[in-house]
Amino acid sequence: MIKIVCKNVIWGFLAVLIAILVSGTIQTWAANPNLDGDSHPTRFKLNECIADVKEVTAWNDKETLDAARNICEIRQSHAKQKARFLASLKKLQEQYQNYTNHGFDKQLPTAIADSWTIVKSCIDFKEGFTSPHNVAVLSVPEDVRSSCYSLGASLVESALFNQTQ
C-alpha cells in the first residue's frame, strides 16, 4: 500500500514538473515567435541581394543592380524595425517587471504576447492582400514586416511614453 502511494506521489510530482517545464517553454516561444516567413532580413549584403534578384529575374546588369540595391534597403529597414520592436519590448519589460501597484507585473507577459500577436496579425492581414511576382516576391515580405514591426514598436513605445509623463 505504501509502495503504491509513494509511486503515485512520484508520478504526480513528475507530472507537475513536466507541466511546469512545458508551460515555461511555450511561454518563451510564444513571446518571441519567428515571423520572418519568406523574408530575409539578415541577407542585406549587396552580393546576397544580387544573387536573390538573379534567382527571380532575367534582367540586364543595371536593372539587376538597381533592384538588388532596393531589396537590400528594404531588408535593412525590416531589420531596423524588428530591432526597434524588440528594444521597445525590452524597455516595457524593464519598466514594468517590478511595478506591482496596479498588477502590471502580472499583465506584462500578456502585453508582450499581445504585442507579438498584433505584429503577426498585421503581417497576415497585409500578406492576405498581396500576390507578388517577379522581383516583388523579394520586396513585399520585407516591406510588410518592416511596416508591421514599426506598428508594433509604435504601439509599445506609446505605452512607455504614457506611463513616463
Side-chain angles (χ1 to χ4, degrees), residues 14-75:
L14 285 174
V16 169
L17 184 61
I18 290 170
I20 290 169
L21 290 173
V22 169
S23 68
T25 302
I26 290 170
Q27 289 173 356
T28 302
W29 171 83
N32 195 3
N34 180 357
L35 302 179
D36 287 341
D38 292 334
S39 67
H40 301 284
T42 59
R43 287 181 57 85
F44 50 78
K45 292 180 183 173
L46 186 57
N47 64 335
E48 294 170 327
C49 295
I50 289 171
D52 292 343
V53 169
K54 284 182 176 182
E55 281 186 31
V56 296
T57 66
W59 293 348
N60 66 40
D61 289 344
K62 183 186 178 331
E63 290 173 318
T64 299
L65 183 60
D66 290 344
R69 285 184 176 138
N70 184 48
I71 296 301
C72 282
E73 186 177 304
I74 293 169
R75 286 176 176 172

Side-chain angles (χ1 to χ4, degrees), residues 3-145:
K3 271 184 156 180
I4 294 173
V5 171
C6 287
K7 189 175 180 181
N8 288 340
V9 168
I10 291 171
W11 282 114
F13 176 74
L14 285 174
V16 169
L17 184 61
I18 290 170
I20 290 169
L21 290 173
V22 169
S23 68
T25 302
I26 290 170
Q27 289 173 356
T28 302
W29 171 83
N32 195 3
N34 180 357
L35 302 179
D36 287 341
D38 292 334
S39 67
H40 301 284
T42 59
R43 287 181 57 85
F44 50 78
K45 292 180 183 173
L46 186 57
N47 64 335
E48 294 170 327
C49 295
I50 289 171
D52 292 343
V53 169
K54 284 182 176 182
E55 281 186 31
V56 296
T57 66
W59 293 348
N60 66 40
D61 289 344
K62 183 186 178 331
E63 290 173 318
T64 299
L65 183 60
D66 290 344
R69 285 184 176 138
N70 184 48
I71 296 301
C72 282
E73 186 177 304
I74 293 169
R75 286 176 176 172
Q76 288 170 356
S77 176
H78 170 183
K80 180 181 175 183
Q81 292 306 320
K82 184 175 182 177
R84 179 178 157 227
F85 175 68
L86 292 172
S88 69
L89 288 178
K90 184 176 179 182
K91 286 178 188 174
L92 184 75
Q93 187 168 16
E94 288 170 355
Q95 183 172 342
Y96 289 110
Q97 68 185 354
N98 296 320
Y99 197 87
T100 59
N101 282 358
H102 300 285
F104 289 131
D105 59 327
K106 292 177 180 63
Q107 175 60 19
L108 187 59
T110 302
I112 290 171
D114 288 349
S115 298
W116 280 102
T117 300
I118 289 167
V119 171
K120 182 182 181 330
S121 295
C122 175
I123 292 168
D124 291 345
F125 173 82
K126 286 181 168 246
E127 286 188 341
F129 288 99
T130 62
S131 56
H133 64 282
N134 208 339
V135 77
V137 299
L138 301 174
S139 62
V140 169
E142 306 293 344
D143 203 27
V144 164
R145 281 157 182 79

